[in-house]
Amino acid sequence: MDKNIQMVDLKIQYQNIEEEIDTAIKDVLTGAHYINGPQVNEFETNLGSFLGDVKVVGCANGTDALQIAFMALGLKPGDEVIVPSFTYVATAEVIGLLGLIPVMVDVDPFTFNITAELIEPAITSKTKAIVPVHLFGQCADMEPIIELAKKHGLKIVEDTAQALSAVYTFSDGRSLKAGTMGDIGCTSFFPSKNLGCFGDGGALYTNDKLLAEQIKMVANHGQRKKYYHEVLGINSRLDTLQAAILNVKLPYLKSYSEDREKAASFYDKGLQDIGGITLPVRSPKSSHVFHQYTLRVANGKRDELQQFLKNQGIPSMIYYPLPLFEQEAFKNIGRVVGKQDITISLCKEVLSLPIHPEITQETQEYIINQIKTFFNG
Ligand SMILES: *Cc1c(COP(=O)(O)O)cnc(C)c1O
């Protein structure tokens, strides 16, 4: 058994498309347009059509994308933004940095995402935006969230760093990709994301042309015309080199997602009869691109299982061990609304197993058998 099991295997993914990647990189090196080279615009166009004819603006990383989104929407210090308590810190960090107030709400026990029912009691006269995070690769239930946002005049910024290419289906049968349903979608091309580059990268998308202009301006020192600065902006660019790599990888994203889904189904089948764990629940309204395959391990056994797997050469990760509101950095920032039972229990129970497009059934069988051994002896 190959004991070099990884959460994601970036080396194999590169080797499978090595020639194409090397050529694309060489083109950037010889073209020498290292900043804002033609590959950046090309990628923005390619990703825009992949997502269904939306405007895409590249930036330096997913965290910047979120910051640029709130700046482009013109949010002001003291404005409230509703976020899930159970998420990666980046979502709420930039809200705090901008002097906005993150208002944290609990999540759904099945999808681990926020819902309209959980958001509604958190809305006040200061609320300006909602940030659904499509966690682990599955869309939040967006239709009721969009209705709620309309009713209260709120903006929606989707954090789709983990769900690029997931598809949500509305009750009238319309389908839209994650990140294209609200006002702005934000994503990350961090190497281990479903579409990863070879360093940092990110992007924002929107259906609104004027908003796309605003986003571009904020990401480029607040200027439309060089050396004429209309607003305070930041400097956040997608490198030409990363854009060239992403242009090569984007056509593979569909098959990457399909392979992740196949691997998830294989785990589902192998792990279905084990008591004491809950398998990922698939929402009937969203496809799942399985950025993570996350178990819930009951009865305080999570850490023990993780150690047992580690001893067998199997890595696993705890995304996330602490609710936002228990993080030291958020002690004096933001507000918590409603009971937080689900978030608190998820932080004690979640365990993400290795999953990536290149994982073999042999590796998965080994992992499944070790989990069975742990529970059944
Ligand atoms: C990865 C991630 C981000 C941030 O992306 P970076 O490119 O690392 O800045 C934001 N939100 C979520 C949910 C993420 O998983």
PDB file of all heavy atoms in Angstrom, residues 60-66 87-93 133-136 159-163 186-193 199-203 291-292 320, ligand 1:
ATOM      1  N   ALA A  60      -5.394  39.152  -6.284  1.00  0.00           N
ATOM      2  CA  ALA A  60      -4.220  38.441  -5.768  1.00  0.00           C
ATOM      3  C   ALA A  60      -4.538  37.190  -4.955  1.00  0.00           C
ATOM      4  O   ALA A  60      -3.722  36.277  -4.884  1.00  0.00           O
ATOM      5  CB  ALA A  60      -3.371  39.396  -4.931  1.00  0.00           C
ATOM      6  N   ASN A  61      -5.696  37.136  -4.333  1.00  0.00           N
ATOM      7  CA  ASN A  61      -6.081  35.962  -3.534  1.00  0.00           C
ATOM      8  C   ASN A  61      -7.546  36.086  -3.138  1.00  0.00           C
ATOM      9  O   ASN A  61      -8.172  37.123  -3.364  1.00  0.00           O
ATOM     10  CB  ASN A  61      -5.181  35.805  -2.297  1.00  0.00           C
ATOM     11  CG  ASN A  61      -5.197  37.040  -1.421  1.00  0.00           C
ATOM     12  OD1 ASN A  61      -6.217  37.374  -0.824  1.00  0.00           O
ATOM     13  ND2 ASN A  61      -4.084  37.757  -1.365  1.00  0.00           N
ATOM     14  N   GLY A  62      -8.061  35.028  -2.527  1.00  0.00           N
ATOM     15  CA  GLY A  62      -9.480  35.012  -2.181  1.00  0.00           C
ATOM     16  C   GLY A  62      -9.842  35.992  -1.073  1.00  0.00           C
ATOM     17  O   GLY A  62     -10.953  36.537  -1.050  1.00  0.00           O
ATOM     18  N   THR A  63      -8.920  36.210  -0.157  1.00  0.00           N
ATOM     19  CA  THR A  63      -9.173  37.151   0.930  1.00  0.00           C
ATOM     20  C   THR A  63      -9.288  38.576   0.378  1.00  0.00           C
ATOM     21  O   THR A  63     -10.201  39.323   0.755  1.00  0.00           O
ATOM     22  CB  THR A  63      -8.039  37.067   1.980  1.00  0.00           C
ATOM     23  OG1 THR A  63      -7.853  35.693   2.345  1.00  0.00           O
ATOM     24  CG2 THR A  63      -8.352  37.881   3.207  1.00  0.00           C
ATOM     25  N   ASP A  64      -8.387  38.929  -0.530  1.00  0.00           N
ATOM     26  CA  ASP A  64      -8.481  40.231  -1.203  1.00  0.00           C
ATOM     27  C   ASP A  64      -9.811  40.353  -1.959  1.00  0.00           C
ATOM     28  O   ASP A  64     -10.431  41.421  -1.972  1.00  0.00           O
ATOM     29  CB  ASP A  64      -7.344  40.408  -2.221  1.00  0.00           C
ATOM     30  CG  ASP A  64      -6.069  40.956  -1.588  1.00  0.00           C
ATOM     31  OD1 ASP A  64      -6.013  41.062  -0.345  1.00  0.00           O
ATOM     32  OD2 ASP A  64      -5.132  41.281  -2.348  1.00  0.00           O
ATOM     33  N   ALA A  65     -10.219  39.270  -2.597  1.00  0.00           N
ATOM     34  CA  ALA A  65     -11.471  39.313  -3.363  1.00  0.00           C
ATOM     35  C   ALA A  65     -12.621  39.764  -2.456  1.00  0.00           C
ATOM     36  O   ALA A  65     -13.419  40.638  -2.818  1.00  0.00           O
ATOM     37  CB  ALA A  65     -11.773  37.949  -3.978  1.00  0.00           C
ATOM     38  N   LEU A  66     -12.675  39.182  -1.249  1.00  0.00           N
ATOM     39  CA  LEU A  66     -13.732  39.552  -0.303  1.00  0.00           C
ATOM     40  C   LEU A  66     -13.604  41.021   0.104  1.00  0.00           C
ATOM     41  O   LEU A  66     -14.592  41.756   0.141  1.00  0.00           O
ATOM     42  CB  LEU A  66     -13.664  38.648   0.927  1.00  0.00           C
ATOM     43  CG  LEU A  66     -14.104  37.188   0.694  1.00  0.00           C
ATOM     44  CD1 LEU A  66     -13.505  36.254   1.732  1.00  0.00           C
ATOM     45  CD2 LEU A  66     -15.632  37.091   0.699  1.00  0.00           C
ATOM     46  N   THR A  87     -16.949  28.963   9.537  1.00  0.00           N
ATOM     47  CA  THR A  87     -16.329  29.248   8.237  1.00  0.00           C
ATOM     48  C   THR A  87     -14.841  29.484   8.426  1.00  0.00           C
ATOM     49  O   THR A  87     -14.343  29.550   9.558  1.00  0.00           O
ATOM     50  CB  THR A  87     -16.958  30.487   7.561  1.00  0.00           C
ATOM     51  OG1 THR A  87     -16.365  30.679   6.258  1.00  0.00           O
ATOM     52  CG2 THR A  87     -16.727  31.762   8.370  1.00  0.00           C
ATOM     53  N   TYR A  88     -14.152  29.625   7.313  1.00  0.00           N
ATOM     54  CA  TYR A  88     -12.748  30.015   7.338  1.00  0.00           C
ATOM     55  C   TYR A  88     -12.667  31.489   7.722  1.00  0.00           C
ATOM     56  O   TYR A  88     -13.527  32.287   7.345  1.00  0.00           O
ATOM     57  CB  TYR A  88     -12.132  29.781   5.953  1.00  0.00           C
ATOM     58  CG  TYR A  88     -10.667  30.117   5.877  1.00  0.00           C
ATOM     59  CD1 TYR A  88      -9.762  29.542   6.759  1.00  0.00           C
ATOM     60  CD2 TYR A  88     -10.181  30.998   4.935  1.00  0.00           C
ATOM     61  CE1 TYR A  88      -8.418  29.849   6.701  1.00  0.00           C
ATOM     62  CE2 TYR A  88      -8.834  31.311   4.857  1.00  0.00           C
ATOM     63  CZ  TYR A  88      -7.954  30.731   5.745  1.00  0.00           C
ATOM     64  OH  TYR A  88      -6.631  31.039   5.695  1.00  0.00           O
ATOM     65  N   VAL A  89     -11.626  31.852   8.444  1.00  0.00           N
ATOM     66  CA  VAL A  89     -11.529  33.183   9.037  1.00  0.00           C
ATOM     67  C   VAL A  89     -11.578  34.323   8.014  1.00  0.00           C
ATOM     68  O   VAL A  89     -12.073  35.421   8.311  1.00  0.00           O
ATOM     69  CB  VAL A  89     -10.252  33.287   9.906  1.00  0.00           C
ATOM     70  CG1 VAL A  89      -8.999  33.232   9.038  1.00  0.00           C
ATOM     71  CG2 VAL A  89     -10.260  34.559  10.739  1.00  0.00           C
ATOM     72  N   ALA A  90     -11.076  34.063   6.800  1.00  0.00           N
ATOM     73  CA  ALA A  90     -10.960  35.131   5.801  1.00  0.00           C
ATOM     74  C   ALA A  90     -12.278  35.870   5.587  1.00  0.00           C
ATOM     75  O   ALA A  90     -12.310  37.093   5.416  1.00  0.00           O
ATOM     76  CB  ALA A  90     -10.477  34.554   4.463  1.00  0.00           C
ATOM     77  N   THR A  91     -13.371  35.099   5.617  1.00  0.00           N
ATOM     78  CA  THR A  91     -14.688  35.674   5.372  1.00  0.00           C
ATOM     79  C   THR A  91     -14.946  36.875   6.281  1.00  0.00           C
ATOM     80  O   THR A  91     -15.409  37.925   5.832  1.00  0.00           O
ATOM     81  CB  THR A  91     -15.787  34.612   5.638  1.00  0.00           C
ATOM     82  OG1 THR A  91     -15.379  33.362   5.086  1.00  0.00           O
ATOM     83  CG2 THR A  91     -17.108  35.034   5.053  1.00  0.00           C
ATOM     84  N   ALA A  92     -14.657  36.701   7.566  1.00  0.00           N
ATOM     85  CA  ALA A  92     -15.015  37.728   8.541  1.00  0.00           C
ATOM     86  C   ALA A  92     -13.865  38.689   8.834  1.00  0.00           C
ATOM     87  O   ALA A  92     -14.075  39.817   9.265  1.00  0.00           O
ATOM     88  CB  ALA A  92     -15.460  37.061   9.841  1.00  0.00           C
ATOM     89  N   GLU A  93     -12.649  38.226   8.559  1.00  0.00           N
ATOM     90  CA  GLU A  93     -11.456  39.021   8.844  1.00  0.00           C
ATOM     91  C   GLU A  93     -11.489  40.368   8.119  1.00  0.00           C
ATOM     92  O   GLU A  93     -11.282  41.428   8.723  1.00  0.00           O
ATOM     93  CB  GLU A  93     -10.244  38.213   8.378  1.00  0.00           C
ATOM     94  CG  GLU A  93      -8.916  38.709   8.805  1.00  0.00           C
ATOM     95  CD  GLU A  93      -7.831  37.711   8.378  1.00  0.00           C
ATOM     96  OE1 GLU A  93      -7.953  37.094   7.290  1.00  0.00           O
ATOM     97  OE2 GLU A  93      -6.873  37.561   9.137  1.00  0.00           O
ATOM     98  N   VAL A 133     -21.365  31.423   2.584  1.00  0.00           N
ATOM     99  CA  VAL A 133     -20.130  30.707   2.238  1.00  0.00           C
ATOM    100  C   VAL A 133     -20.570  29.320   1.772  1.00  0.00           C
ATOM    101  O   VAL A 133     -21.222  28.599   2.523  1.00  0.00           O
ATOM    102  CB  VAL A 133     -19.207  30.575   3.471  1.00  0.00           C
ATOM    103  CG1 VAL A 133     -17.933  29.822   3.113  1.00  0.00           C
ATOM    104  CG2 VAL A 133     -18.882  31.945   4.048  1.00  0.00           C
ATOM    105  N   HIS A 134     -20.254  28.985   0.534  1.00  0.00           N
ATOM    106  CA  HIS A 134     -20.670  27.665   0.035  1.00  0.00           C
ATOM    107  C   HIS A 134     -19.641  26.645   0.496  1.00  0.00           C
ATOM    108  O   HIS A 134     -18.735  26.262  -0.237  1.00  0.00           O
ATOM    109  CB  HIS A 134     -20.795  27.702  -1.486  1.00  0.00           C
ATOM    110  CG  HIS A 134     -21.709  28.778  -1.987  1.00  0.00           C
ATOM    111  ND1 HIS A 134     -22.980  28.968  -1.480  1.00  0.00           N
ATOM    112  CD2 HIS A 134     -21.546  29.727  -2.938  1.00  0.00           C
ATOM    113  CE1 HIS A 134     -23.552  29.985  -2.112  1.00  0.00           C
ATOM    114  NE2 HIS A 134     -22.708  30.467  -2.994  1.00  0.00           N
ATOM    115  N   LEU A 135     -19.821  26.205   1.754  1.00  0.00           N
ATOM    116  CA  LEU A 135     -18.761  25.472   2.443  1.00  0.00           C
ATOM    117  C   LEU A 135     -18.582  24.048   1.926  1.00  0.00           C
ATOM    118  O   LEU A 135     -19.552  23.342   1.674  1.00  0.00           O
ATOM    119  CB  LEU A 135     -19.066  25.436   3.950  1.00  0.00           C
ATOM    120  CG  LEU A 135     -17.843  25.241   4.838  1.00  0.00           C
ATOM    121  CD1 LEU A 135     -16.961  26.487   4.839  1.00  0.00           C
ATOM    122  CD2 LEU A 135     -18.275  24.916   6.261  1.00  0.00           C
ATOM    123  N   PHE A 136     -17.343  23.659   1.808  1.00  0.00           N
ATOM    124  CA  PHE A 136     -16.917  22.296   1.441  1.00  0.00           C
ATOM    125  C   PHE A 136     -17.315  21.885   0.024  1.00  0.00           C
ATOM    126  O   PHE A 136     -17.109  20.747  -0.375  1.00  0.00           O
ATOM    127  CB  PHE A 136     -17.432  21.252   2.452  1.00  0.00           C
ATOM    128  CG  PHE A 136     -16.965  21.475   3.868  1.00  0.00           C
ATOM    129  CD1 PHE A 136     -17.703  21.011   4.944  1.00  0.00           C
ATOM    130  CD2 PHE A 136     -15.781  22.153   4.134  1.00  0.00           C
ATOM    131  CE1 PHE A 136     -17.264  21.209   6.251  1.00  0.00           C
ATOM    132  CE2 PHE A 136     -15.331  22.359   5.444  1.00  0.00           C
ATOM    133  CZ  PHE A 136     -16.084  21.879   6.505  1.00  0.00           C
ATOM    134  N   ASP A 159     -19.138  33.764  -0.916  1.00  0.00           N
ATOM    135  CA  ASP A 159     -17.774  33.256  -0.764  1.00  0.00           C
ATOM    136  C   ASP A 159     -17.754  31.855  -1.372  1.00  0.00           C
ATOM    137  O   ASP A 159     -18.205  30.887  -0.761  1.00  0.00           O
ATOM    138  CB  ASP A 159     -17.379  33.227   0.713  1.00  0.00           C
ATOM    139  CG  ASP A 159     -15.942  32.748   0.914  1.00  0.00           C
ATOM    140  OD1 ASP A 159     -15.366  32.150  -0.021  1.00  0.00           O
ATOM    141  OD2 ASP A 159     -15.398  32.965   2.018  1.00  0.00           O
ATOM    142  N   THR A 160     -17.234  31.785  -2.595  1.00  0.00           N
ATOM    143  CA  THR A 160     -17.296  30.529  -3.322  1.00  0.00           C
ATOM    144  C   THR A 160     -15.907  29.918  -3.500  1.00  0.00           C
ATOM    145  O   THR A 160     -15.654  29.140  -4.413  1.00  0.00           O
ATOM    146  CB  THR A 160     -18.071  30.739  -4.646  1.00  0.00           C
ATOM    147  OG1 THR A 160     -18.155  29.514  -5.336  1.00  0.00           O
ATOM    148  CG2 THR A 160     -17.422  31.766  -5.521  1.00  0.00           C
ATOM    149  N   ALA A 161     -15.015  30.246  -2.542  1.00  0.00           N
ATOM    150  CA  ALA A 161     -13.633  29.741  -2.589  1.00  0.00           C
ATOM    151  C   ALA A 161     -13.582  28.208  -2.572  1.00  0.00           C
ATOM    152  O   ALA A 161     -12.644  27.614  -3.078  1.00  0.00           O
ATOM    153  CB  ALA A 161     -12.834  30.298  -1.409  1.00  0.00           C
ATOM    154  N   GLN A 162     -14.615  27.571  -2.004  1.00  0.00           N
ATOM    155  CA  GLN A 162     -14.594  26.108  -1.913  1.00  0.00           C
ATOM    156  C   GLN A 162     -15.584  25.447  -2.873  1.00  0.00           C
ATOM    157  O   GLN A 162     -15.694  24.224  -2.895  1.00  0.00           O
ATOM    158  CB  GLN A 162     -14.924  25.677  -0.471  1.00  0.00           C
ATOM    159  CG  GLN A 162     -13.936  26.248   0.544  1.00  0.00           C
ATOM    160  CD  GLN A 162     -14.130  25.694   1.941  1.00  0.00           C
ATOM    161  OE1 GLN A 162     -14.956  24.817   2.177  1.00  0.00           O
ATOM    162  NE2 GLN A 162     -13.341  26.206   2.882  1.00  0.00           N
ATOM    163  N   ALA A 163     -16.290  26.263  -3.648  1.00  0.00           N
ATOM    164  CA  ALA A 163     -17.383  25.669  -4.429  1.00  0.00           C
ATOM    165  C   ALA A 163     -17.397  26.111  -5.895  1.00  0.00           C
ATOM    166  O   ALA A 163     -18.442  26.051  -6.548  1.00  0.00           O
ATOM    167  CB  ALA A 163     -18.722  25.998  -3.782  1.00  0.00           C
ATOM    168  N   CYS A 186     -16.926  35.676  -4.859  1.00  0.00           N
ATOM    169  CA  CYS A 186     -15.491  35.782  -4.592  1.00  0.00           C
ATOM    170  C   CYS A 186     -14.899  34.385  -4.567  1.00  0.00           C
ATOM    171  O   CYS A 186     -15.468  33.486  -3.953  1.00  0.00           O
ATOM    172  CB  CYS A 186     -15.252  36.403  -3.225  1.00  0.00           C
ATOM    173  SG  CYS A 186     -15.832  38.096  -3.128  1.00  0.00           S
ATOM    174  N   THR A 187     -13.758  34.218  -5.220  1.00  0.00           N
ATOM    175  CA  THR A 187     -13.130  32.901  -5.151  1.00  0.00           C
ATOM    176  C   THR A 187     -11.626  32.999  -4.981  1.00  0.00           C
ATOM    177  O   THR A 187     -11.039  34.068  -5.075  1.00  0.00           O
ATOM    178  CB  THR A 187     -13.498  32.032  -6.373  1.00  0.00           C
ATOM    179  OG1 THR A 187     -13.369  30.663  -6.012  1.00  0.00           O
ATOM    180  CG2 THR A 187     -12.615  32.321  -7.576  1.00  0.00           C
ATOM    181  N   SER A 188     -11.030  31.832  -4.706  1.00  0.00           N
ATOM    182  CA  SER A 188      -9.594  31.720  -4.469  1.00  0.00           C
ATOM    183  C   SER A 188      -9.033  30.630  -5.377  1.00  0.00           C
ATOM    184  O   SER A 188      -9.690  29.618  -5.611  1.00  0.00           O
ATOM    185  CB  SER A 188      -9.361  31.325  -3.013  1.00  0.00           C
ATOM    186  OG  SER A 188      -8.053  30.828  -2.817  1.00  0.00           O
ATOM    187  N   PHE A 189      -7.816  30.858  -5.871  1.00  0.00           N
ATOM    188  CA  PHE A 189      -7.118  29.823  -6.641  1.00  0.00           C
ATOM    189  C   PHE A 189      -5.910  29.295  -5.878  1.00  0.00           C
ATOM    190  O   PHE A 189      -4.933  28.846  -6.466  1.00  0.00           O
ATOM    191  CB  PHE A 189      -6.702  30.381  -8.014  1.00  0.00           C
ATOM    192  CG  PHE A 189      -7.838  30.970  -8.787  1.00  0.00           C
ATOM    193  CD1 PHE A 189      -7.854  32.329  -9.100  1.00  0.00           C
ATOM    194  CD2 PHE A 189      -8.917  30.192  -9.180  1.00  0.00           C
ATOM    195  CE1 PHE A 189      -8.915  32.894  -9.793  1.00  0.00           C
ATOM    196  CE2 PHE A 189      -9.986  30.753  -9.870  1.00  0.00           C
ATOM    197  CZ  PHE A 189      -9.987  32.103 -10.171  1.00  0.00           C
ATOM    198  N   PHE A 190      -5.973  29.378  -4.548  1.00  0.00           N
ATOM    199  CA  PHE A 190      -4.965  28.762  -3.673  1.00  0.00           C
ATOM    200  C   PHE A 190      -4.729  27.335  -4.194  1.00  0.00           C
ATOM    201  O   PHE A 190      -5.679  26.675  -4.615  1.00  0.00           O
ATOM    202  CB  PHE A 190      -5.519  28.759  -2.240  1.00  0.00           C
ATOM    203  CG  PHE A 190      -4.558  28.291  -1.198  1.00  0.00           C
ATOM    204  CD1 PHE A 190      -3.631  29.163  -0.655  1.00  0.00           C
ATOM    205  CD2 PHE A 190      -4.578  26.974  -0.743  1.00  0.00           C
ATOM    206  CE1 PHE A 190      -2.734  28.734   0.326  1.00  0.00           C
ATOM    207  CE2 PHE A 190      -3.690  26.541   0.230  1.00  0.00           C
ATOM    208  CZ  PHE A 190      -2.762  27.422   0.762  1.00  0.00           C
ATOM    209  N   PRO A 191      -3.480  26.861  -4.190  1.00  0.00           N
ATOM    210  CA  PRO A 191      -3.179  25.592  -4.863  1.00  0.00           C
ATOM    211  C   PRO A 191      -4.104  24.415  -4.529  1.00  0.00           C
ATOM    212  O   PRO A 191      -4.390  23.593  -5.403  1.00  0.00           O
ATOM    213  CB  PRO A 191      -1.743  25.305  -4.418  1.00  0.00           C
ATOM    214  CG  PRO A 191      -1.158  26.663  -4.192  1.00  0.00           C
ATOM    215  CD  PRO A 191      -2.273  27.511  -3.658  1.00  0.00           C
ATOM    216  N   SER A 192      -4.576  24.329  -3.284  1.00  0.00           N
ATOM    217  CA  SER A 192      -5.397  23.165  -2.926  1.00  0.00           C
ATOM    218  C   SER A 192      -6.883  23.347  -3.190  1.00  0.00           C
ATOM    219  O   SER A 192      -7.671  22.430  -2.958  1.00  0.00           O
ATOM    220  CB  SER A 192      -5.185  22.839  -1.446  1.00  0.00           C
ATOM    221  OG  SER A 192      -5.613  23.925  -0.652  1.00  0.00           O
ATOM    222  N   LYS A 193      -7.299  24.507  -3.693  1.00  0.00           N
ATOM    223  CA  LYS A 193      -8.729  24.673  -4.034  1.00  0.00           C
ATOM    224  C   LYS A 193      -9.051  23.829  -5.272  1.00  0.00           C
ATOM    225  O   LYS A 193      -8.145  23.335  -5.939  1.00  0.00           O
ATOM    226  CB  LYS A 193      -9.045  26.143  -4.314  1.00  0.00           C
ATOM    227  CG  LYS A 193      -8.644  27.096  -3.211  1.00  0.00           C
ATOM    228  CD  LYS A 193      -9.532  27.045  -1.975  1.00  0.00           C
ATOM    229  CE  LYS A 193      -9.087  28.123  -1.007  1.00  0.00           C
ATOM    230  NZ  LYS A 193      -9.727  28.113   0.279  1.00  0.00           N
ATOM    231  N   GLY A 199       0.471  29.211  -6.721  1.00  0.00           N
ATOM    232  CA  GLY A 199       0.811  30.287  -5.807  1.00  0.00           C
ATOM    233  C   GLY A 199      -0.509  30.855  -5.328  1.00  0.00           C
ATOM    234  O   GLY A 199      -1.472  30.103  -5.168  1.00  0.00           O
ATOM    235  N   ASP A 200      -0.571  32.148  -5.136  1.00  0.00           N
ATOM    236  CA  ASP A 200      -1.826  32.775  -4.733  1.00  0.00           C
ATOM    237  C   ASP A 200      -2.545  33.352  -5.944  1.00  0.00           C
ATOM    238  O   ASP A 200      -1.921  33.819  -6.899  1.00  0.00           O
ATOM    239  CB  ASP A 200      -1.546  33.903  -3.728  1.00  0.00           C
ATOM    240  CG  ASP A 200      -1.401  33.379  -2.309  1.00  0.00           C
ATOM    241  OD1 ASP A 200      -2.318  32.656  -1.856  1.00  0.00           O
ATOM    242  OD2 ASP A 200      -0.383  33.669  -1.665  1.00  0.00           O
ATOM    243  N   GLY A 201      -3.855  33.342  -5.878  1.00  0.00           N
ATOM    244  CA  GLY A 201      -4.673  33.948  -6.923  1.00  0.00           C
ATOM    245  C   GLY A 201      -6.098  34.025  -6.454  1.00  0.00           C
ATOM    246  O   GLY A 201      -6.504  33.294  -5.539  1.00  0.00           O
ATOM    247  N   GLY A 202      -6.881  34.923  -7.048  1.00  0.00           N
ATOM    248  CA  GLY A 202      -8.284  35.033  -6.687  1.00  0.00           C
ATOM    249  C   GLY A 202      -9.046  35.755  -7.775  1.00  0.00           C
ATOM    250  O   GLY A 202      -8.453  36.232  -8.749  1.00  0.00           O
ATOM    251  N   ALA A 203     -10.358  35.809  -7.612  1.00  0.00           N
ATOM    252  CA  ALA A 203     -11.176  36.522  -8.597  1.00  0.00           C
ATOM    253  C   ALA A 203     -12.506  36.917  -7.980  1.00  0.00           C
ATOM    254  O   ALA A 203     -12.940  36.336  -6.972  1.00  0.00           O
ATOM    255  CB  ALA A 203     -11.421  35.659  -9.827  1.00  0.00           C
ATOM    256  N   HIS A 291     -15.024  19.903  -2.301  1.00  0.00           N
ATOM    257  CA  HIS A 291     -13.735  20.474  -1.920  1.00  0.00           C
ATOM    258  C   HIS A 291     -13.221  19.710  -0.699  1.00  0.00           C
ATOM    259  O   HIS A 291     -12.031  19.426  -0.584  1.00  0.00           O
ATOM    260  CB  HIS A 291     -13.887  21.961  -1.612  1.00  0.00           C
ATOM    261  CG  HIS A 291     -12.618  22.584  -1.133  1.00  0.00           C
ATOM    262  ND1 HIS A 291     -11.490  22.627  -1.899  1.00  0.00           N
ATOM    263  CD2 HIS A 291     -12.278  23.148   0.050  1.00  0.00           C
ATOM    264  CE1 HIS A 291     -10.509  23.215  -1.214  1.00  0.00           C
ATOM    265  NE2 HIS A 291     -10.962  23.531  -0.037  1.00  0.00           N
ATOM    266  N   GLN A 292     -14.144  19.387   0.190  1.00  0.00           N
ATOM    267  CA  GLN A 292     -13.818  18.522   1.325  1.00  0.00           C
ATOM    268  C   GLN A 292     -14.853  17.417   1.432  1.00  0.00           C
ATOM    269  O   GLN A 292     -16.015  17.615   1.093  1.00  0.00           O
ATOM    270  CB  GLN A 292     -13.808  19.315   2.647  1.00  0.00           C
ATOM    271  CG  GLN A 292     -12.808  20.444   2.701  1.00  0.00           C
ATOM    272  CD  GLN A 292     -11.369  19.978   2.571  1.00  0.00           C
ATOM    273  OE1 GLN A 292     -11.048  18.806   2.803  1.00  0.00           O
ATOM    274  NE2 GLN A 292     -10.493  20.877   2.169  1.00  0.00           N
ATOM    275  N   TYR A 320     -13.585  23.273  10.904  1.00  0.00           N
ATOM    276  CA  TYR A 320     -12.700  24.174  11.602  1.00  0.00           C
ATOM    277  C   TYR A 320     -12.824  23.897  13.086  1.00  0.00           C
ATOM    278  O   TYR A 320     -13.913  23.604  13.560  1.00  0.00           O
ATOM    279  CB  TYR A 320     -13.085  25.621  11.267  1.00  0.00           C
ATOM    280  CG  TYR A 320     -12.916  25.873   9.768  1.00  0.00           C
ATOM    281  CD1 TYR A 320     -14.011  25.754   8.912  1.00  0.00           C
ATOM    282  CD2 TYR A 320     -11.664  26.158   9.227  1.00  0.00           C
ATOM    283  CE1 TYR A 320     -13.844  25.932   7.537  1.00  0.00           C
ATOM    284  CE2 TYR A 320     -11.511  26.350   7.848  1.00  0.00           C
ATOM    285  CZ  TYR A 320     -12.600  26.226   7.012  1.00  0.00           C
ATOM    286  OH  TYR A 320     -12.454  26.377   5.670  1.00  0.00           O
TER     287      TYR A 320
HETATM  288  C1  LIG B   1      -9.495  29.642   0.906  1.00  0.00           C
HETATM  289  C2  LIG B   1     -10.635  30.432   1.380  1.00  0.00           C
HETATM  290  C3  LIG B   1     -10.625  31.839   1.379  1.00  0.00           C
HETATM  291  C4  LIG B   1      -9.398  32.668   1.133  1.00  0.00           C
HETATM  292  O1  LIG B   1      -8.661  32.403   0.033  1.00  0.00           O
HETATM  293  P1  LIG B   1      -7.108  32.844  -0.041  1.00  0.00           P
HETATM  294  O2  LIG B   1      -6.841  32.778  -1.510  1.00  0.00           O
HETATM  295  O3  LIG B   1      -6.343  31.846   0.752  1.00  0.00           O
HETATM  296  O4  LIG B   1      -6.992  34.213   0.488  1.00  0.00           O
HETATM  297  C5  LIG B   1     -11.782  32.495   1.746  1.00  0.00           C
HETATM  298  N1  LIG B   1     -12.883  31.834   2.107  1.00  0.00           N
HETATM  299  C6  LIG B   1     -12.933  30.493   2.152  1.00  0.00           C
HETATM  300  C7  LIG B   1     -14.212  29.826   2.553  1.00  0.00           C
HETATM  301  C8  LIG B   1     -11.816  29.737   1.799  1.00  0.00           C
HETATM  302  O5  LIG B   1     -11.874  28.402   1.859  1.00  0.00           O
END
